[in-house]
Amino acid sequence: MRGLFKRFKEGLKRQTPTFQKAFDGIFSGAKLDSDALEELEEALYTADFGAETVQEIIEEIQAAYKADKSMRGEDAARIGARVLEQVLEGAEGRVTVGQHQPEVICLVGVNGSGKTTTSAKLANLYQNDGYKVLLGACDTFRAAANEQIQHWANRLSIDIVSSQHGADSAAVAFDAYEAAKSRGRDIVILDTAGRLHTKSNLMKELEKLHRVIQKQEPSAPHHSWLVVDGSLGSNSIEQARMFHKSFPLTGLIVTKLDGTSRGGAIVGIYRELKLPIYFVGLGEQPDDLQPFSAANYARAIFGITDETA
Amino acid sequence: MLENLTDKLGKALRNIRGTGKLTEENMTEALKEVRQALLAADVHFKVARQFVTDVKEQCVGQEVLKSVTPGQQVVKIIHDELVKLLGEGTTELEDKKPLRIMMVGLHGSGKTTSSGKLARYLAKKRDYRPALVACDVYRPAAIDQLERLAENEGCAFYGDRNEKNVVKIGQRGLDAAKQADANLIIFDTAGRLQIDGDLIEEIKDLKKAIQPDEILLVADAALGQEAVNVAKHFHEAVQCTGIILTKLDGDARGGAALSMKSISNVPIKFMGTGEKPDEFDVFHPDRMASRILGMGDVVSLVEKAQDTIDEKEAERMAEKMRKADFNLEDFLQQMQQVKKMGSLGSIMGMMPGMSGVEIGESEEKKMARTEAIILSMTPQERQTPRLLRGSRLKRIANGSGVQVRDVNALLKQFGQMQKMMKMMRGGKKGKKMMQAMQAQMGDGGGLPKLPGM
């Protein structure tokens, strides 16, 4: 596990500009006046946390500053990390495979969030853990989506069930489940088509998929994860809210955190919907999918390096 | 949301009624609201700060008009300023043939889809003969995706699944396009992070090799604060000539557009507004400004109506209504025209203050059912609804999967409509007509009610 967390931090640290520098500038002055507070607020806004979390962090820092005027940027960053960690308490999703045979994981999300790539990475991860995995290619809409996931399946030698372009995605889900069951797979991962949460007809399609899976196995899907693009802003919260309505979610996967974006919108999502974050995507390689750690995330974002903090 | 911002500004400005002038002091609270609104729409904080400062300069010293509230006045100033900022620069592409376009952007921003849409758009509106060249050698099946799109658009395509050198693909693509007699060549590239040194080098090399006339940055309208870095770095690397904003059919406020425009000064040229190939249009700064401020999109709605509704047809209809020989056939046609504009939900979304309204699946269903009923009639029956009795009614009900009483309800409603038109023709009894009209609107029936209107 240690190795995993290390990589997680490295991925985020690689490019993420930390707050420390900004904070140092703010706290080098004589007093924390309204200008300095505004600067602080703006620095925090760059992470897409959302107003509420920003406000909380500022309040904490202000209180600490009142108590100790000699505060430095580093101390402020530490406070920020602590508040963020508190906000994200309970946000670490963990899966125990084996309670269901097969365990059904369903990935949903808007266009271009990275569902297909994540499906492949996820399958790879579980396969490396010794589980027998099957992929269900339920994106029957986008041109060549089938080929894309098929390619991954070949490359990582993962079992796959797919259909024709334009086929009914719920039917593919049905077939994938049946196949996983009869072939004795531990996990079936269903990759769905990207859809904007504002398209009610496409959301209805998801509802149907849900019904079809449930008909086969009332407890399924055991995990319904929304794949969120980490570089998006506040709209992610709206996405999560709408998807949750049509397709009850059990958690999130945040992708594209290897850039300079900090994926702060997940904080807003967690605050509102309390959906735990299971994995984060930190790169384009098959093993760049890592379990989420609130502590590491918070520290990486605020640029706190020492392990004892 | 318009109400929101206007209300908020109204509250923040309520003390200045009667003071005559907007000053820095009496604006402070209001400007804070503006800044909050911009940040909530994902505008980058630096851009928001600059923008607020500009607006302040504009506002200070202005007379408070008597005719509007200070809130409305300030919103107007903000809106105009936003339009100005967003709209700087031209949306036109270079006017030449052959035209070479290179698409760049982050992963999943919609480059491949936009390539297809752009080809279609330019072929239709500018008579180009497009060719698509697949330069994404990383994402599995990206080449297949583009090829599929080229097939659908019936345009030339070049890709090489065995070649990993993007520069070579680009050059061969140029030759292939020439061979195919294409005069618009669109190069679709792989998604990349703006900070990925190697991949940024790759598009620089490709740029050198193919000498594009236009380099379009494709960006998701829902991007967060990161948008600034994306635009800045891509622009620094390859000097983008334009931005395509995608996924505007979502409900993101799209502050990223303002951030990118302000930071890079690259004009926003196009926008993607849906999954269908023709849901693509030139960029409209005024609509985007309204959207960022949460003010709905009436202009788009009107244009959409103009685009889809045939003017002659509309005149013919109006004439028929005047003469009161409006039959079920016409009714059906009218309904289909409304439907052509898109789902009722998407139409409602463009109305100010309605973006949150859940418009009726049920209304939509009602409309479909009415359509089905009329479609189950013979042309003769549609023209003379009087014919509809007994077994005919039963046949229609069976044909459209409804009960006879549903057919009767439709006919009754239609009868009322006709009566109303006759009254209009009469030109008198104005009051009675109004009442009849209200009754008609109230009962909803075949055509959907517009909630809250």
Side-chain angles (χ1 to χ4, degrees):
Chain A
M1 266 330 232
R2 209 184 159 72
L4 288 187
F5 284 151
K6 194 156 167 261
R7 173 191 271 280
F8 172 56
K9 209 162 65 183
E10 273 168 3
L12 255 182
K13 214 171 67 184
R14 197 158 61 209
Q15 307 296 347
T16 313
T18 67
F19 286 124
Q20 260 197 35
K21 222 171 105 198
F23 282 8
D24 275 341
I26 294 163
F27 288 98
S28 61
K31 58 179 197 261
L32 200 59
D33 56 10
S34 66
D35 278 353
L37 278 177
E38 201 158 292
E39 262 179 69
L40 189 65
E41 189 186 357
E42 287 177 346
L44 291 168
Y45 258 110
T46 56
D48 293 313
F49 287 146
E52 238 178 306
T53 308
V54 167
Q55 214 45 50
E56 272 183 33
I57 294 175
I58 287 182
E59 274 163 26
E60 287 283 324
I61 292 179
Q62 248 180 314
Y65 181 79
K66 255 186 203 148
D68 175 15
K69 298 270 193 283
S70 65
M71 203 170 125
R72 301 257 309 280
E74 203 187 312
D75 306 315
R78 226 176 272 281
I79 292 169
R82 203 189 62 224
V83 175
L84 192 58
E85 222 184 303
Q86 276 164 8
V87 171
L88 288 173
E89 206 183 318
E92 294 174 14
R94 296 288 177 266
V95 185
T96 26
V97 185
Q99 286 163 320
H100 309 277
Q101 201 68 30
E103 194 96 11
V104 181
I105 299 175
C106 205
L107 299 186
V108 298
V110 299
N111 312 69
S113 57
K115 285 170 299 305
T116 305
T117 308
T118 304
S119 302
K121 286 179 179 175
L122 207 54
N124 184 54
L125 188 137
Y126 283 124
Q127 205 159 259
N128 288 345
D129 281 350
Y131 295 109
K132 282 173 286 180
V133 186
L134 183 135
L135 276 172
C138 303
D139 182 354
T140 52
F141 178 80
R142 202 195 65 202
N146 249 330
E147 286 84 341
Q148 186 181 351
I149 193 165
Q150 191 81 50
H151 178 100
W152 278 111
N154 293 343
R155 180 168 151 193
L156 302 170
S157 34
I158 306 163
D159 205 2
I160 185 169
V161 168
S162 64
S163 178
Q164 297 302 312
H165 179 74
D168 180 8
S169 58
V172 184
F174 182 94
D175 289 346
Y177 183 86
E178 288 297 310
K181 205 165 179 188
S182 66
R183 294 178 204 171
R185 304 290 170 202
D186 303 305
I187 301 170
V188 50
I189 299 172
L190 301 176
D191 174 35
T192 65
R195 66 201 76 225
L196 283 178
H197 52 293
T198 48
K199 303 269 165 100
S200 68
N201 53 335
L202 296 180
M203 296 311 277
K204 284 270 182 297
E205 187 188 89
L206 264 192
E207 285 169 27
K208 177 181 172 190
L209 196 119
H210 202 262
R211 280 197 306 274
V212 167
I213 300 170
Q214 257 179 348
K215 227 177 224 171
Q216 284 163 299
E217 167 56 51
S219 66
H222 308 104
H223 307 281
S224 302
W225 294 335
L226 179 71
V227 180
V228 179
D229 182 337
S231 57
L232 296 193
S234 57
N235 193 242
S236 306
I237 301 172
E238 197 54 36
Q239 289 175 10
R241 206 181 286 143
M242 299 299 281
F243 270 97
H244 198 41
K245 243 190 226 165
S246 297
F247 199 89
L249 300 170
T250 63
L252 306 174
I253 294 183
V254 191
T255 59
K256 307 186 205 173
L257 279 186
D258 48 335
T260 50
S261 51
R262 299 161 171 147
I266 53 171
V267 180
I269 299 179
Y270 184 71
R271 283 195 91 108
E272 184 173 329
L273 299 169
K274 293 285 170 233
L275 291 171
I277 298 132
Y278 280 85
F279 293 95
V280 289
L282 297 168
E284 298 176 65
Q285 293 314 308
D287 56 354
D288 282 336
L289 191 73
Q290 303 293 328
F292 176 74
S293 148
N296 286 355
Y297 176 73
R299 281 181 210 161
I301 271 198
F302 281 93
I304 291 162
T305 40
D306 60 81
E307 300 283 334
T308 52
Chain B
M1 274 314 267
L2 164 63
E3 288 79 9
N4 268 342
L5 186 61
T6 316
D7 285 353
K8 274 188 198 159
L9 288 179
K11 246 181 239 156
L13 292 167
R14 67 178 172 273
N15 296 329
I16 67 172
R17 268 197 204 220
T19 57
K21 268 198 171 112
L22 296 169
T23 67
E24 209 168 325
E25 288 75 49
N26 62 28
M27 292 276 302
T28 316
E29 209 186 319
L31 289 174
K32 229 183 230 166
E33 294 289 354
V34 174
R35 182 167 158 272
Q36 281 302 329
L38 292 175
L39 289 175
D42 292 325
V43 174
H44 190 261
F45 74 89
K46 270 188 193 153
V47 177
R49 189 202 292 162
Q50 183 58 43
F51 183 78
V52 168
T53 312
D54 291 350
V55 167
K56 187 162 75 187
E57 274 168 25
Q58 291 253 341
C59 290
V60 169
Q62 283 216 19
E63 302 277 334
V64 177
L65 299 173
K66 294 238 161 55
S67 51
V68 295
T69 66
Q72 285 169 333
Q73 193 177 347
V74 174
V75 165
K76 167 99 173 65
I77 296 172
I78 294 167
H79 187 262
D80 290 351
E81 187 69 20
L82 258 183
V83 172
K84 203 181 95 200
L85 251 174
L86 286 168
E88 272 172 357
T90 171
T91 57
E92 292 293 316
L93 295 176
E94 291 248 352
D95 185 22
K96 61 188 274 195
K97 291 178 182 179
L99 180 69
R100 301 170 187 181
I101 302 177
M102 179 164 104
M103 313 284 269
V104 297
L106 295 181
H107 307 267
S109 57
K111 284 172 297 308
T112 308
T113 306
S114 297
S115 298
K117 286 177 170 182
L118 186 61
R120 181 190 178 94
Y121 179 88
L122 290 174
K124 227 164 128 183
K125 305 254 164 160
R126 299 282 199 73
D127 289 324
Y128 274 109
R129 292 183 303 277
L132 295 173
V133 181
C135 299
D136 181 354
V137 294
Y138 304 100
R139 185 169 56 101
I143 302 177
D144 300 315
Q145 187 184 351
L146 194 70
E147 187 169 22
R148 213 55 54 73
L149 292 172
E151 263 167 40
N152 290 344
E153 299 307 326
C155 64
F157 168 82
Y158 179 79
D160 184 345
R161 288 171 182 77
N162 300 317
E163 180 62 68
K164 290 287 165 212
N165 184 330
V166 173
V167 171
K168 279 185 189 155
I169 296 177
Q171 281 160 340
R172 287 183 207 140
L174 270 183
D175 293 340
K178 209 172 191 179
Q179 293 266 312
D181 193 31
N183 56 14
L184 167 71
I185 310 129
I186 299 176
F187 298 87
D188 177 33
T189 65
R192 65 200 75 222
L193 286 168
Q194 76 277 15
I195 44 154
D196 188 324
D198 295 344
L199 287 181
I200 289 295
E201 274 313 306
E202 185 193 89
I203 42 170
K204 280 184 176 172
D205 292 342
L206 180 64
K207 182 190 167 187
K208 237 180 260 163
I210 60 173
Q211 299 286 329
D213 307 296
E214 295 275 353
I215 297 174
L216 301 179
L217 172 65
V218 183
D220 191 325
L223 274 181
Q225 298 276 323
E226 181 65 4
V228 162
N229 293 324
V230 173
K232 191 167 154 238
H233 286 108
F234 270 106
H235 187 48
E236 274 168 11
V238 292
Q239 290 81 47
C240 304
T241 61
I243 295 172
I244 298 181
L245 218 51
T246 61
K247 304 182 206 172
L248 273 171
D249 44 334
D251 55 2
R253 296 273 293 281
L258 181 62
S259 303
M260 291 191 290
K261 176 75 207 334
S262 308
I263 290 288
S264 67
N265 213 17
V266 172
I268 305 170
K269 296 195 169 174
F270 296 98
M271 52 189 194
T273 55
E275 299 198 33
K276 296 200 193 95
D278 53 0
E279 289 177 313
F280 188 80
D281 205 349
V282 292
F283 177 69
H284 294 282
D286 45 341
R287 300 183 198 169
M288 198 66 220
S290 304
R291 187 174 175 135
I292 292 175
L293 296 174
M295 292 168 52
D297 194 355
V298 185
V299 193
S300 297
L301 179 65
V302 173
E303 272 192 9
K304 210 165 181 183
Q306 279 170 345
D307 260 11
T308 47
I309 291 173
D310 182 359
E311 214 167 295
K312 270 188 198 149
E313 181 59 25
E315 257 170 46
R316 199 182 63 85
M317 268 314 169
E319 186 58 32
K320 287 197 120 176
M321 283 194 187
R322 256 197 304 280
K323 289 187 185 153
D325 69 344
F326 186 78
N327 58 35
L328 278 168
E329 185 82 48
D330 303 318
F331 187 48
L332 179 70
Q333 272 182 21
Q334 226 179 19
M335 214 156 51
Q336 281 166 342
Q337 290 224 315
V338 173
K339 247 175 54 182
K340 255 201 275 176
M341 285 170 61
S343 70
L344 290 175
S346 75
I347 296 174
M348 290 308 290
M350 288 188 215
M351 298 208 175
M354 296 252 172
S355 46
V357 178
E358 259 297 308
I359 170 96
E361 286 292 313
S362 66
E363 297 295 353
E364 213 132 339
K365 264 195 197 138
K366 233 187 223 168
M367 206 156 132
R369 197 167 57 183
T370 306
E371 203 182 337
I373 295 175
I374 302 180
L375 284 171
S376 301
M377 299 175 187
T378 65
Q380 203 194 0
E381 285 164 349
R382 289 180 212 169
Q383 274 153 23
T384 12
R386 269 182 297 114
L387 290 175
L388 294 169
R389 297 267 179 269
S391 67
R392 285 188 195 246
L393 282 179
K394 213 166 171 188
R395 191 199 79 240
I396 291 162
N398 285 338
S400 51
V402 298
Q403 302 294 320
V404 172
R405 62 166 186 273
D406 296 322
V407 183
N408 275 326
L410 171 68
L411 289 174
K412 192 175 157 212
Q413 198 201 337
F414 182 74
Q416 281 171 351
M417 228 162 104
Q418 266 185 327
K419 221 188 271 169
M420 223 165 63
M421 282 171 201
K422 284 204 181 104
M423 271 189 255
M424 277 202 270
R425 190 180 52 161
K428 42 188 175 180
K429 300 176 200 157
K431 211 171 171 189
K432 212 171 167 188
M433 190 182 84
M434 282 304 287
Q435 281 166 356
M437 236 150 108
Q438 264 161 6
Q440 182 71 22
M441 305 264 272
D443 113 19
L447 283 172
K449 265 183 286 191
L450 299 182
M453 292 214 69

